[in-house]
Each structure stands twice: as structure tokens, then as C-alpha cells.
């Protein structure tokens, strides 16, 4: 009996709840019930206007290009000349390394160069002295030659007198001898005196000829001695010139060695090759580093990001990417630095292939957008900052527009047979059980209208066919619109 009473109580309570619910008006602005049971709806005229479809996608700020900084020699980081996020100019030294061996190599190269220069200076001084000695010797020899030639000329000048004496004495002797032979007019002593004078003249000539020969021999000997001296000096000059050339080559070689050592030492100062922002510093002062390369990410010291252009890279859904092309305009919001502010941008690059999303089977296409007039972002942006991109994919003018929430899905079973058949016909044989409709108020009732939706945005939807501009379309929240039925009598709020 107690169980029966409990069941009767529960049934009574449930009936009371159902009765109270039946008395509540339908919720939402699109369909509140009037006191007489007629539903009250909110409407809005379909209008002619312009609509732009947008593809929204999450994005990240990226740099125009990035350059990784490597240490090309081993060493200890002694100084970091910029902080992470700091703007740097091209050519600015950012890291200083200490490498004792390279410092020692440069110092040794300097010592060797100075030694080679001193050796060259000594060789050049020796050459200059040898050239002066040669010049002095040439002047001395020329003076001696002139004196010797003068002496020989003086001796040779005497020969004419001796020839004249011999010729005169010879004529006198011949004449006196002939006269002596013809008679007693000439004394024998006179003939003998003339003969003696002739012999003396011939002896003097012979002595002169010997003197000439001796003087010529002396001159020749002096000339030979001079030539030997000149040869020796020329040899010394040649040797000195060779030594100078050798020393010059040694200086050049040591200069090159010093330049090599200095270039190697310069590698201990790592400079930025481009102007940009210092980013992702991977070392600290006192840390040992090894030479790196593009193949060795472990050796990267830091990254320089070129932020001369503001770029964002969006992950565009595969369903949107086909409506996007280079040159389309976009709106970019970077909340962390600009809040709700939007910057205009232009699509500059679309990846030719997509990457599979990490959270779904959808493929995403990297799409780069360059911001315009973003000077107020200078110095504020860093690679990796989040952004939201809305790309204007298509614009339609003179389009029939209705509020986006006015377009609803309705089961074919809830539509008049003629509308359901029309929906199936438009589907082209495809099996469907629902259709897109808007409700239009006509003569105090709502009429479901099959529509084809074109472009849409956050607020409006383009109706390609089904209704015309000026139609009174029911709007409101989805729950209210869900309760509407074709042909139902309504009142317009």
C-alpha cells in the first residue's frame, strides 16, 4: 500500500511540472508566444549590399629572414655585446671569444715580420753602400785613366824630336861622309862626331820606344786592375741586390702570414651579417664553444631576425586555401601588442603543399601576409608572437543579404512536400534529409523558403536564390527559430 501511495504522489508531481512548462512562453526573441498563443517574432528586411568572405587562421609573427650566428673558431665566450630582443646593426660585433693559440700566432707573426723588415733594411743599406763604392771606384779609375793617358801622351810626344834628331844627324853624316871620301876638305873627326851624334839619337829613340812600351804596359795593368775592381764591386752589388730581393720576398711572406693570423684572430669576434633583432641566444659568458656550421645546430650562438618588414605566417585550412591567392588583402590582429587593433596586410606567399595538422586530419597551408603601415610595431615584435589573420577571399556587390542566424537547417520531413521535393531536385539525385531555409513573414504567417547560400561573414549571409531583397526575414536565436513551422501564424514584434 505504501508503495502504491508513493507512485501516485510521483505521478501527480510530474503532471504538475508538465502543466507548468506548457504554460511558459517559447524562449528567445524570434518566437515568444502571445497571450492568445500566437508566436511573436523579430524580423529584418533582406537587403542589397556588399559582402566579403574571410578565411580566418591562427598565425605567428615571422621575420623577413633569419641568420644563425656560428663560431668559426674554438674559444671561450668573454663578452656578449647585445641582449636578446635588442636591435643590432649589420657588422656589429656581438660575441667576443678568447683563443690563446690564435693570439700567440698573431704575436709571433708580428715578431717575424719585424725581423724580416730589419733584415731588409740591412740588405738595402748594404746595397746602397756597394753602389756608392762602385761609383767611387769608377770615379777613381777614370781619374787614373786620364792621368795614364796623359803620361803616355807626354812620352809619345818626345818621339817626334828623336825622329827629327836621327833624320838630321843621318843627313849630316851622309853629306860629311861623302865629302870626306872625295878629298881632304873634311876631317875624320867631324865625320866621327856626326856619326856619334847619329848613334846617340838612335839610342835615345830606342830608349823612348821602351819608355812608351813601359807606359802602355803600366796603363794596361792599371786598366786590368780597374776592371777586376769593377767586376768585384759589380759582383758585390749583384749579391746585395739578390739579398734585397730575398729579404723583400721574406717581408711579403711574413706580411701574408700576419694577415692570415689576424684574420683568424678576427674570427674570435662574431658580428651580425644583417641588421635585425638579436634572438635566441644559446650561450653565456665563460662558456666554451666549438666551430659550427649550418649542419651543426649545437654550435649556433644566436639568431638574428630581420624585422625590417612585418610578416605573419598563418596556418590556412585546406577548405579555405583554394579561395586565397597572392595579392589578396587581409586583416591582422596581434593581441599581445595591439589588443583588438587590426592592421591591413597583403598575401605575399602561399605554400604549394600543406602539412597535416597535429590535432586533426586536416592539412594546413603556410600563408605569409605582409603588414602595411605597421610603423607603430617597430621594436615591439619578436618572431613567434601569436596573431590572427582574416583574409578577404571574395567580395560580392549587390548581393541579397540576411542576418547569418536567419539561415537554418530544417528536416525535409518538417517541410511541405513541394519544398521537400524541390530540395531533393536541387541536390541532383544526392540523398539528403535536411535543407537550408529562411522563414519569411507573408500575410501574417511564416513561410519556409529554400535558399542557396553564397558568401558569409560573422554577421550576414548572401542568398544566391530563394528570396529577393526586401523580403521580411525572421531572425533570432537558434532555439526560437527551431520552433517555427511553415505556415504558422505569427505576430511581428
Amino acid at each position: 500500500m505504501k508503495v502504491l501511495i508513493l507512485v501516485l504522489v510521483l505521478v501527480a508531481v510530474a503532471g504538475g511540472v508538465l502543466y507548468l512548462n506548457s504554460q511558459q512562453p517559447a524562449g528567445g526573441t524570434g518566437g515568444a508566444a502571445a497571450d492568445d498563443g500566437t508566436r511573436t517574432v523579430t524580423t529584418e528586411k533582406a537587403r542589397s549590399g556588399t559582402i566579403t568572405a574571410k578565411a580566418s587562421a591562427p598565425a605567428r609573427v615571422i621575420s623577413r629572414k633569419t641568420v644563425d650566428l656560428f663560431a668559426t673558431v674554438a674559444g671561450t665566450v668573454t663578452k656578449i655585446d647585445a641582449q636578446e630582443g635588442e636591435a643590432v646593426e649589420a657588422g656589429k660585433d656581438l660575441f667576443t671569444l678568447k683563443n690563446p693559440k690564435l693570439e700567440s700566432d698573431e704575436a709571433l707573426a708580428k715578431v717575424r715580420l719585424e725581423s724580416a723588415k730589419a733584415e731588409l733594411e740591412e740588405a738595402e743599406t748594404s746595397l746602397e753602400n756597394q753602389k756608392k763604392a762602385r761609383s767611387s771606384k769608377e770615379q777613381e779609375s777614370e781619374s787614373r785613366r786620364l792621368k795614364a793617358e796623359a803620361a803616355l801622351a807626354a812620352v809619345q810626344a818626345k818621339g817626334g824630336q828623336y825622329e827629327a834628331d836621327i833624320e838630321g844627324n843621318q843627313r849630316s853624316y851622309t853629306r860629311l861622309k861623302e865629302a870626306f871620301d872625295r878629298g881632304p876638305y873634311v876631317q875624320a873627326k867631324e865625320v866621327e862626331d856626326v856619326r856619334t851624334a847619329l848613334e846617340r839619337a838612335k839610342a835615345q829613340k830606342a830608349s823612348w820606344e821602351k819608355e812608351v812600351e813601359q807606359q802602355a804596359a803600366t796603363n794596361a795593368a792599371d786598366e786590368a786592375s780597374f776592371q777586376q775592381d769593377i767586376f768585384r764591386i759589380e759582383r758585390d752589388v749583384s749579391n746585395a741586390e739578390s739579398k734585397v730581393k730575398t729579404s723583400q720576398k721574406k717581408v711579403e711572406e711574413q706580411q701574408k702570414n700576419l694577415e692570415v693570423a689576424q684574420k683568424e684572430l678576427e674570427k674570435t669576434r662574431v658580428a651580425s651579417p644583417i641588421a635585425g633583432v638579436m634572438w635566441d641566444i644559446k650561450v653565456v659568458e665563460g662558456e666554451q664553444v666549438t666551430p659550427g656550421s649550418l649542419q651543426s645546430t649545437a654550435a649556433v650562438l644566436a639568431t638574428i631576425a630581420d624585422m625590417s618588414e612585418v610578416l605573419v605566417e598563418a596556418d590556412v585550412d585546406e577548405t579555405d586555401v583554394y579561395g586565397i591567392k597572392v595579392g589578396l588583402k587581409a586583416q591582422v590582429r596581434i593581441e599581445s601588442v595591439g589588443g583588438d587593433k587590426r592592421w591591413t596586410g597583403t598575401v605575399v606567399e602561399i605554400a604549394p603543399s600543406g602539412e597535416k595538422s597535429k590535432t586533426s586530419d586536416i592539412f594546413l597551408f603556410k600563408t605569409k601576409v605582409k603588414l602595411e603601415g605597421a610603423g607603430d610595431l617597430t621594436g615591439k615584435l619578436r618572431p613567434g608572437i601569436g596573431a590572427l589573420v582574416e583574409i578577404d577571399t571574395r567580395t560580392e556587390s549587390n548581393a541579397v543579404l540576411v542576418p547569418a542566424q536567419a539561415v537554418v537547417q530544417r528536416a525535409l520531413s518538417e517541410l511541405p512536400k513541394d519544398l521537400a521535393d524541390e530540395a531533393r531536385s536541387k541536390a541532383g539525385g544526392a540523398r539528403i534529409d535536411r535543407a537550408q531555409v529562411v522563414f519569411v513573414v507573408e500575410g501574417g504567417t511564416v513561410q519556409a523558403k529554400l535558399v542557396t547560400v553564397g558568401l558569409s561573414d560573422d554577421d550576414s549571409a548572401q542568398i544566391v536564390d530563394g528570396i529577393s531583397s526586401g523580403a521580411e526575414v525572421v531572425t533570432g536565436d537558434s532555439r526560437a527559430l527551431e520552433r517555427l513551422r511553415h505556415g504558422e501564424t505569427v505576430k511581428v514584434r
Side-chain angles (χ1 to χ4, degrees), residues 73-79 95-104 265 267-269 286-289:
V73 295
T76 303
V77 179
T78 58
K79 189 176 181 183
F95 295 88
T96 301
L97 312 178
K98 183 173 182 61
N99 185 309
K101 182 180 183 304
L102 295 182
E103 293 173 357
S104 175
L265 187 59
K267 293 178 182 178
T268 60
R269 295 189 298 275
E287 184 174 343
Q288 292 284 335
V289 296

Side-chain angles (χ1 to χ4, degrees), residues 359-410:
T359 59
S360 68
D361 291 334
I362 293 175
F363 277 78
L364 304 175
F365 290 76
K366 299 292 185 183
T367 302
K368 293 181 182 179
V369 175
K370 177 183 175 182
L371 272 64
E372 302 164 0
D376 54 337
L377 293 175
T378 302
K380 297 180 180 179
L381 294 182
R382 301 289 183 269
I385 289 178
L388 179 65
V389 171
E390 292 182 344
I391 302 172
D392 299 342
T393 58
R394 183 180 166 191
T395 298
E396 289 287 348
S397 301
N398 299 318
V400 176
L401 303 179
V402 300
Q405 68 269 26
V407 180
V408 295
Q409 294 280 340
R410 186 66 88 229

Side-chain angles (χ1 to χ4, degrees), residues 263-286:
K263 285 182 179 179
E264 285 298 303
L265 187 59
E266 285 175 3
K267 293 178 182 178
T268 60
R269 295 189 298 275
V270 182
S272 175
I274 62 172
V277 175
M278 182 86 146
W279 194 249
D280 196 17
I281 299 175
K282 297 182 180 296
V283 296
V284 295
E285 292 181 1

Side-chain angles (χ1 to χ4, degrees), residues 147-178:
K147 289 180 180 180
E149 290 176 352
L152 179 59
V155 173
Q156 289 175 335
K158 298 177 183 178
Q161 182 62 44
Y162 297 139
E163 288 290 343
D165 288 348
I166 292 174
E167 186 178 350
N169 289 330
Q170 183 65 51
R171 285 196 303 269
S172 296
Y173 175 74
T174 301
R175 180 175 53 79
L176 290 175
K177 183 67 171 62
E178 290 176 353

Side-chain angles (χ1 to χ4, degrees), residues 137-265:
K137 197 66 177 178
E138 287 174 345
Q139 291 176 2
E140 177 188 351
S141 177
E142 183 64 21
S143 176
R144 289 174 58 185
R145 183 185 292 115
L146 291 176
K147 289 180 180 180
E149 290 176 352
L152 179 59
V155 173
Q156 289 175 335
K158 298 177 183 178
Q161 182 62 44
Y162 297 139
E163 288 290 343
D165 288 348
I166 292 174
E167 186 178 350
N169 289 330
Q170 183 65 51
R171 285 196 303 269
S172 296
Y173 175 74
T174 301
R175 180 175 53 79
L176 290 175
K177 183 67 171 62
E178 290 176 353
F180 176 78
D181 289 340
R182 287 196 298 269
Y185 301 104
V186 177
Q187 298 295 319
K189 184 178 183 306
E190 292 181 69
V191 175
E192 185 60 25
D193 289 342
V194 172
R195 186 186 67 77
T196 299
L198 175 59
E199 291 302 324
R200 185 171 56 250
K202 287 181 178 180
Q204 288 175 338
K205 179 183 178 184
S207 176
W208 167 77
E209 289 176 343
K210 188 174 182 180
E211 184 181 0
V212 169
E213 184 179 346
Q214 289 176 343
Q215 185 64 51
T218 299
N219 289 359
D222 287 345
E223 181 66 23
S225 176
F226 161 73
Q227 292 298 333
Q228 288 180 352
D229 290 342
I230 290 298
F231 175 78
R232 185 177 64 256
I233 292 175
E234 288 291 353
R235 181 191 59 199
D236 293 342
V237 169
S238 179
N239 290 339
E241 288 175 339
S242 296
K243 190 171 183 179
V244 167
K245 290 180 180 178
T246 301
S247 298
Q248 287 174 334
K249 288 182 179 179
K250 190 172 182 180
V251 168
E252 292 173 359
E253 180 182 347
Q254 294 303 328
Q255 182 66 49
K256 289 180 181 178
N257 290 341
L258 176 59
E259 290 172 359
V260 170
Q262 288 175 333
K263 285 182 179 179
E264 285 298 303
L265 187 59

